[in-house]
Amino acid sequence: MFMYQEYNRYILPEHYNDPCGIHGISHARRVLYLADKIAEKCDLTKEEERILGLACCYHDIGRVHNDRDILHGKLSCKKIEKLELLDGFGLEEEEKKLILRLISYHCLNDALFTGTEREKYLFNILKDADGLDRVRIFDLNPAYLRLDASRELVDLAWGLYRFCTGL
């Protein structure tokens, strides 16, 4: 819960083209919460939590429509850089680059992301947290989740979605 409490305040409506849409602030908050729950089951450092938390906050801010869009990760990175959203966190340059890579590749085929085992692990957490929130479009297939810790959270993802939408 610490990561969610720490980073939720950076998910702001003005960062989104459609803040109330299916990829807007509610989605970003659920992804952050789900990533936090996955991270609780993992042994992340404070630096890794910061990287993951910021990637969750900003992963969809470049979206301009709600259809399948393999470019929105790159567009999100451009927006992050333009608005200087990663400044003020005390991040090393390599940490900023990793956050941007995680975001840029989160909407692409997993095989395209390269990095250390730890970077791939953070990538998998981001992808799974984003994937778990596919419950909002009734298109979650747990077989596509990468981590055992993520598959354990399918019921939580449904409960979170129902709570947030009042269903």
Side-chain angles (χ1 to χ4, degrees):
M1 238 353 225
F2 298 114
M3 191 168 61
Y4 182 83
Q5 292 171 347
E6 177 73 24
Y7 296 100
N8 178 46
R9 64 179 171 226
Y10 302 110
I11 300 172
L12 302 174
E14 58 265 25
H15 294 154
Y16 293 85
N17 292 311
D18 184 6
C20 296
I22 65 169
H23 294 100
I25 57 175
S26 294
H27 167 64
R29 286 183 176 138
R30 286 190 303 270
V31 170
L32 178 61
Y33 184 83
L34 292 163
D36 192 13
K37 290 303 191 187
I38 297 168
E40 281 180 7
K41 298 172 179 289
C42 307
D43 187 24
L44 300 186
T45 66
K46 192 68 176 159
E47 292 78 18
E48 289 170 334
E49 285 183 3
R50 182 173 52 195
I51 290 165
L52 183 59
L54 291 168
C56 290
C57 289
Y58 301 135
H59 77 283
D60 277 348
I61 65 170
R63 274 196 169 273
V64 293
H65 60 78
N66 289 318
D67 296 330
R68 187 174 189 279
D69 180 5
I70 61 170
L71 297 177
H72 78 270
K74 289 185 191 287
L75 294 173
S76 294
C77 291
K78 286 182 181 179
K79 196 168 189 177
I80 289 164
E81 290 174 324
K82 179 182 176 187
L83 298 175
E84 299 176 338
L85 295 176
L86 298 180
D87 293 353
F89 290 101
L91 295 164
E92 300 288 331
E93 200 55 40
E94 289 304 311
E95 292 173 315
K96 287 182 182 180
K97 287 179 184 177
L98 177 55
I99 292 168
L100 294 174
R101 279 193 316 116
L102 292 171
I103 291 170
S104 186
Y105 284 89
H106 89 275
C107 52
L108 302 174
N109 184 295
D110 291 9
L112 297 173
F113 184 85
T114 59
T116 67
E117 286 305 309
R118 211 59 188 161
E119 291 170 345
K120 289 177 186 176
Y121 196 60
L122 293 176
F123 178 72
N124 286 337
I125 295 172
L126 174 62
K127 292 271 286 198
D128 278 2
D130 196 28
L132 280 164
D133 198 45
R134 291 185 69 83
V135 297
R136 76 195 186 289
I137 57 172
F138 304 98
D139 188 33
L140 171 61
N141 182 344
Y144 291 130
L145 297 172
R146 294 144 194 84
L147 304 170
D148 291 337
S150 304
R151 285 186 284 279
E152 294 172 10
L153 298 176
V154 170
D155 289 340
L156 175 67
W158 276 108
L160 181 61
Y161 174 72
R162 287 185 190 107
F163 176 78
C164 291
T165 60
L167 293 178

